[in-house]
Amino acid sequence: MSKKTIEEITLNVQKFCEERDWDQFHGPKDLAIGVITEASELLEHFRFLSEEQALELLSNPQQKEEIEDELSDVLFFLLRFSQRFDIDLTKALLRKIEKSERKYPVEKAKGKNTKYTKL
Amino acid sequence: MSKKTIEEITLNVQKFCEERDWDQFHGPKDLAIGVITEASELLEHFRFLSEEQALELLSNPQQKEEIEDELSDVLFFLLRFSQRFDIDLTKALLRKIEKSERKYPVEKAKGKNTKYTKL
Amino acid sequence: MSKKTIEEITLNVQKFCEERDWDQFHGPKDLAIGVITEASELLEHFRFLSEEQALELLSNPQQKEEIEDELSDVLFFLLRFSQRFDIDLTKALLRKIEKSERKYPVEKAKGKNTKYTKL
Amino acid sequence: MSKKTIEEITLNVQKFCEERDWDQFHGPKDLAIGVITEASELLEHFRFLSEEQALELLSNPQQKEEIEDELSDVLFFLLRFSQRFDIDLTKALLRKIEKSERKYPVEKAKGKNTKYTKL
């Protein structure tokens, strides 16, 4: 497992974009569009597949690499968004998990696939 | 900036899900659905807003926190997907950036918002 | 089954938006964002559900109505997009089905969940 | 403008799918995935474009046809979903517009791009 922090890999993303002079295209709305369009490419791999077939994809090295690329594209835009607008994404995630712990208390949420509004 | 590695924060995500016994719901297809539905909540904040209004949102602390929460929700599912299917997301991202450097050479892509297929 | 044409129901959509003076917000990019964010609300109903549970939702009248509302919201933005930019959506759909017939010939595509690029 | 009803064009969609024996792949979850992945292809056309550039796309006949194809792909899955699960989409849309009229009363919503929860 790579030992880099989010801060470190964000520098790679920033460098890539700044070398190409892309700040001008990377407002919040377009970066959010970046996130969702890449998320869709991830999902498309599993369209019309059964759970078993979806798992089979992941056991094929070439198709797994394609899926890793899609995950990376989503992460790329998350990191770029955070970098552009001074968001500490690690801190944000840990705070959000704490909020989710309150919304989904273990004793209520265990083994359930129900939204917290219906728990 | 938080100094945790992606590996470390993934442990928080894993613990949260395993305490709730959610492995049974977290196949690849449903986690990809998780990624895109959270990406949509991020995008929805900017729907019908001008670029200026989108930036204004980010200068309001309460609305910025909401947006940070949406980014975190997307990241949560990316990390969960990676953890469930043994993907080193840091390594995947760095490899993907290398691929993108070949698809978008600086001399061709600089200052352009064109897809690589049309460069 | 309702006997209205797409042209007729598009008039309802147009009237709704024009009475609210929303042309100013309804450029192509924002209407495309409208389509995808509503599509996400549809999908969210089925998140983490098995195929059986997804079908059960549709046999519950209240939940079916919620799902019908989400489908309608997506259709609303499709019709609004078409109306704003002079697209005959009926004609476009029929032309697209003809293209798909060539991409997915019956003898190759029958009983397969494979993308045409891999048929 | 084509004078067909939603009922009529739905028959074309149904015929296309049934000839290919695709009922087996077209559960509610996968059709909802169909809707959102096609919605993303529509949105991708406008990624990183200014409003002016987005409008320019629509004045280019070839690119307009591509966009019409994406709108059609979204509509295809909406109609297929409705057909599979006995939904009268015309009736659903008109009912939803009535609900929206209550959520967005003209006197409050006129000229505003605000969500009804914040009106």
Side-chain angles (χ1 to χ4, degrees):
Chain A
M1 256 288 199
S2 300
K3 300 293 186 193
K4 291 183 181 261
T5 64
I6 286 211
E7 191 178 359
E8 288 170 314
I9 59 175
T10 299
L11 286 174
N12 294 64
V13 171
Q14 180 176 10
K15 182 169 173 288
F16 180 85
C17 295
E18 293 187 351
E19 282 178 353
R20 281 155 189 80
D21 197 15
W22 284 353
D23 277 21
Q24 60 188 309
F25 308 123
H26 285 181
K29 196 165 175 171
D30 278 294
L31 292 174
I33 292 174
V35 173
I36 200 167
T37 49
E38 300 301 338
S40 177
E41 295 195 12
L42 173 66
L43 181 58
E44 212 189 323
H45 285 268
F46 305 111
R47 193 162 91 160
F48 306 133
L49 300 193
S50 67
E51 270 309 300
E52 295 67 40
Q53 291 174 315
L55 286 167
E56 267 173 51
L57 273 195
L58 285 159
S59 67
N60 172 316
Q62 194 197 323
Q63 297 195 297
K64 194 177 182 189
E65 181 166 331
E66 286 178 28
I67 288 163
E68 289 175 350
D69 282 356
E70 312 293 8
L71 289 163
S72 299
D73 285 335
V74 182
L75 181 60
F76 182 96
F77 283 114
L78 288 184
L79 297 177
R80 178 62 168 157
F81 193 110
S82 303
Q83 173 255 313
R84 289 275 288 154
F85 307 109
D86 292 315
I87 290 167
D88 183 331
L89 193 54
T90 303
K91 201 173 135 193
L93 177 73
L94 297 175
R95 184 186 61 200
K96 186 55 179 39
I97 291 178
E98 280 179 28
K99 289 186 191 184
S100 296
E101 281 168 349
R102 290 193 292 275
K103 275 160 116 178
Y104 293 92
V106 172
E107 64 277 13
K108 274 194 177 176
K110 198 165 186 173
K112 302 249 185 67
N113 57 352
T114 318
K115 208 178 174 179
Y116 72 94
T117 48
K118 298 188 176 176
L119 271 181
Chain B
M1 257 288 198
S2 299
K3 298 294 185 195
K4 293 185 179 259
T5 64
I6 288 212
E7 191 179 359
E8 287 170 315
I9 58 175
T10 300
L11 285 174
N12 293 64
V13 171
Q14 180 176 10
K15 182 167 172 289
F16 180 85
C17 295
E18 292 187 351
E19 281 179 352
R20 281 155 189 80
D21 198 15
W22 283 354
D23 276 21
Q24 58 187 309
F25 308 122
H26 286 182
K29 196 165 174 171
D30 279 293
L31 292 173
I33 292 174
V35 173
I36 199 167
T37 49
E38 299 301 339
S40 177
E41 296 195 12
L42 173 66
L43 181 57
E44 213 189 323
H45 285 268
F46 305 111
R47 192 162 93 160
F48 306 133
L49 300 193
S50 67
E51 269 310 300
E52 295 66 38
Q53 292 174 316
L55 285 167
E56 267 172 51
L57 271 195
L58 285 159
S59 67
N60 171 317
Q62 193 197 322
Q63 297 195 297
K64 193 176 183 191
E65 181 167 331
E66 285 179 28
I67 288 163
E68 289 175 351
D69 282 355
E70 313 293 7
L71 290 164
S72 299
D73 286 334
V74 181
L75 181 59
F76 181 96
F77 282 113
L78 288 184
L79 297 177
R80 177 63 168 158
F81 193 110
S82 303
Q83 173 255 314
R84 289 276 288 155
F85 307 108
D86 292 315
I87 290 167
D88 184 331
L89 193 53
T90 304
K91 202 173 134 193
L93 177 73
L94 298 176
R95 184 187 61 202
K96 186 57 178 40
I97 291 177
E98 281 179 26
K99 290 186 190 182
S100 296
E101 281 168 348
R102 291 192 292 275
K103 277 159 114 178
Y104 292 94
V106 172
E107 65 278 13
K108 275 194 175 176
K110 198 165 187 173
K112 302 249 185 68
N113 58 353
T114 318
K115 209 179 171 179
Y116 72 95
T117 48
K118 298 186 176 177
L119 272 181
Chain C
M1 256 289 196
S2 299
K3 299 293 185 194
K4 291 183 181 263
T5 64
I6 288 211
E7 191 179 359
E8 286 170 316
I9 59 175
T10 300
L11 286 174
N12 293 64
V13 170
Q14 180 177 9
K15 181 167 172 289
F16 180 86
C17 295
E18 292 187 350
E19 281 178 352
R20 283 155 188 80
D21 197 15
W22 284 354
D23 276 21
Q24 60 188 308
F25 308 124
H26 286 182
K29 197 165 174 171
D30 278 295
L31 292 174
I33 292 175
V35 173
I36 199 167
T37 50
E38 299 300 339
S40 177
E41 296 196 12
L42 173 66
L43 181 57
E44 212 189 324
H45 285 269
F46 305 111
R47 193 162 93 160
F48 306 134
L49 300 194
S50 66
E51 270 308 302
E52 294 67 38
Q53 292 174 315
L55 286 168
E56 266 172 52
L57 272 195
L58 285 159
S59 66
N60 172 316
Q62 194 196 321
Q63 297 194 298
K64 193 176 182 189
E65 182 167 331
E66 285 179 27
I67 288 163
E68 289 174 351
D69 282 356
E70 312 294 8
L71 290 164
S72 300
D73 286 335
V74 182
L75 181 60
F76 182 96
F77 283 113
L78 289 184
L79 296 178
R80 178 63 169 158
F81 193 110
S82 303
Q83 174 255 313
R84 288 277 288 156
F85 306 109
D86 292 315
I87 290 167
D88 183 332
L89 193 52
T90 304
K91 201 173 134 192
L93 177 73
L94 298 176
R95 184 187 62 202
K96 186 57 179 36
I97 291 178
E98 280 179 26
K99 290 187 191 182
S100 296
E101 280 169 349
R102 290 193 291 275
K103 275 160 117 178
Y104 292 93
V106 173
E107 64 277 13
K108 274 194 176 177
K110 196 164 187 173
K112 302 250 186 68
N113 57 353
T114 317
K115 210 179 171 178
Y116 71 94
T117 47
K118 298 187 176 176
L119 272 181
Chain D
M1 256 285 197
S2 299
K3 300 293 186 192
K4 291 185 181 260
T5 63
I6 287 211
E7 191 178 359
E8 287 169 317
I9 59 175
T10 299
L11 286 174
N12 293 65
V13 171
Q14 180 177 9
K15 182 168 172 287
F16 180 85
C17 295
E18 292 187 352
E19 281 178 353
R20 282 155 188 80
D21 197 15
W22 283 354
D23 276 21
Q24 59 187 310
F25 308 123
H26 286 181
K29 197 166 175 171
D30 278 294
L31 292 174
I33 292 175
V35 173
I36 200 167
T37 49
E38 299 300 338
S40 177
E41 296 196 13
L42 173 66
L43 181 57
E44 213 189 323
H45 285 268
F46 305 111
R47 195 162 91 159
F48 306 133
L49 300 194
S50 67
E51 270 308 302
E52 294 66 39
Q53 291 174 315
L55 286 168
E56 266 171 53
L57 273 196
L58 285 159
S59 66
N60 171 316
Q62 194 197 321
Q63 296 194 298
K64 193 176 183 191
E65 180 166 333
E66 285 179 27
I67 288 163
E68 289 175 350
D69 282 356
E70 312 293 9
L71 290 164
S72 299
D73 285 335
V74 181
L75 181 60
F76 181 96
F77 283 114
L78 288 184
L79 297 178
R80 178 62 169 158
F81 193 110
S82 303
Q83 173 255 314
R84 288 276 287 155
F85 307 109
D86 293 315
I87 291 166
D88 183 332
L89 192 53
T90 304
K91 202 173 134 192
L93 177 73
L94 297 176
R95 185 186 60 202
K96 187 54 179 38
I97 291 178
E98 280 179 26
K99 289 186 190 182
S100 296
E101 280 169 349
R102 291 192 292 274
K103 276 159 114 178
Y104 292 93
V106 172
E107 64 277 13
K108 276 193 175 176
K110 197 164 186 171
K112 303 249 184 67
N113 58 353
T114 317
K115 209 181 172 178
Y116 72 94
T117 48
K118 298 186 177 175
L119 272 181

